[in-house]
Amino acid sequence: MKSFILSIWSGASAELIDAAKKEGSLVVYVSCEEDYGAAVCNHFQELYGIETSYQRLSTEEVEAKIEEEKGKPSGDVWFGGTTDPYNVASSKGLLEKYEPENAKHLIDESYKSTENDWYGIYKGILGIMYNKEELERLKLDAPKDYDDLLDEKYKGLVWMANYNTSGTALLFLNTMIQKKGSEEAGIEFLKKLDKNIAQYTKSGSGPSKSVGTAECTIGIGMLHDAIYQIVDNGYDNIGLQVPSSGAFYEIGATAMFAGCAHPNAAKLWLEYALSPECVGLAQSNGSYQFLVIDDVEQPKVATEYGLDPDNVMKYDFEDAKKNSEKYKNDLMQALGGGDDRFKTE
C-alpha cells in the first residue's frame, strides 16, 4: 500500500518502487553544492527506505571516473553540475537511456538530452562576481564584461575554475569560443585572460567562496553561488555582474550510469529528481538556481539580485557535446599544460 501511495505523487509506478526497494541501496555522485546534494539524498532515503550514499565530485571528475571504470561504474546516478561533461559521457555511451514519467514536467524540450540519457533540474547564469570593498581600496572599477577582464589593471586579481576538473570552466571555455565565433578566437581570448588569472580552483564554486573574504577580488562563475555567499553567509560586500554583451547559462542535470549496480533504484531516482520533492529542497539548502520543471516554486531571491532565466544567449549544446574535449585539450596545450595555479585539491 505504501508503494502505491508513493507512486501517486512521485510519478513512479508501484512496481518500480518495489523493485528499487528490493535492490536496497543507491550510490549518488553529487556535482552540485554538497548541502543540496546531501539533503536530496537523505530525503530519497527517508521516502523509500533505500540506503542512499553519496560522494561529492566535480563534473569533470565524475566523467573521468566513470570512463576509467569501463562500463562497471561504482556509482549508480549523477546529480547536479553542468551538462557539458554529461554530454561527453553520453557521447561515449556511459549514460543509460531512460525516459522518466516526470520528464513531462520539464518546461522545455531543450532541458533534456537528445539521447534521453540526462535530464535538466536547474538553470544557472554564468557571470562575474567581485569584492566591492577590495576594488574600492584598489581604486578600480568593477568589470562589466568578460573583455574588461583582459585589462592589465586586473592582473593577479581574477579567479576561475580549472578546465581539467570543473564543468563550470568547461562551460566558460565553450562560452568564449561561441562568443568569439571560432575556436581560434576563443582560445586566443583565454590565453590573454590567463595572464590576469591568480588561481584556477578545482571546483566551479571555488571563486565564489573566496570573494567575500577578499582572498579573491574578481571571480568568474555561477552567479547563484555568489548569491548563496551573500544571503546565507552574510557577505554583502559581493557584487554581481551579468556580462553586458550577454550571459550564457548552464543546465544542471541528472542521469543514471550505463551498467550501474542498482538500475531500478537509479530509475526511481530519476523520477524523484524531476519532482518538487527533490528540486524544492534547493532553496532551503543554499542553492538558488532557476528550476526547469513546471510544478515547483522558483527562487525569488535570484530575481531580487537581478538574474533573469530568459535573459541569456543561445548556447550551442551540440557543438559543446561534439568538441568539448578537443577544445579543452587544445586550450591546455596553448597554455603550456598548466602550472601551479591549476588546483586539483
Side-chain angles (χ1 to χ4, degrees), residues 11 34 38 59 77 145 170 187 200 218 232 269 278 297 303 306 309 337:
E34 188 162 355
T59 45
V77 295
D145 204 353
L170 202 60
I187 288 180
Y200 292 93
I218 301 169
D232 291 62
W269 173 272
C278 176
E297 183 181 356
T303 55

Side-chain angles (χ1 to χ4, degrees), residues 249-303:
Y249 65 96
E250 67 165 340
I251 298 174
T254 190
M256 64 181 288
F257 299 124
C260 66
H262 308 103
N264 290 305
K267 291 174 183 177
L268 181 58
W269 173 272
L270 292 183
E271 298 289 359
Y272 163 75
L274 297 178
S275 75
E277 281 288 326
C278 176
V279 297
L281 293 172
Q283 297 179 59
S284 58
N285 289 278
S287 289
Y288 302 114
Q289 305 97 322
F290 294 103
L291 304 174
V292 299
I293 63 173
D294 63 12
D295 50 355
V296 68
E297 183 181 356
Q298 293 290 342
K300 294 178 181 177
V301 67
T303 55

Side-chain angles (χ1 to χ4, degrees), residues 154-167:
Y154 296 126
K155 185 175 178 61
L157 300 180
V158 184
W159 288 28
M160 64 167 289
N162 186 343
Y163 301 107
N164 294 307
T165 59
S166 166

Side-chain angles (χ1 to χ4, degrees), residues 212-224:
T213 62
E215 185 180 359
C216 166
T217 303
I218 301 169
I220 298 168
M222 294 300 168
L223 295 180
H224 59 259

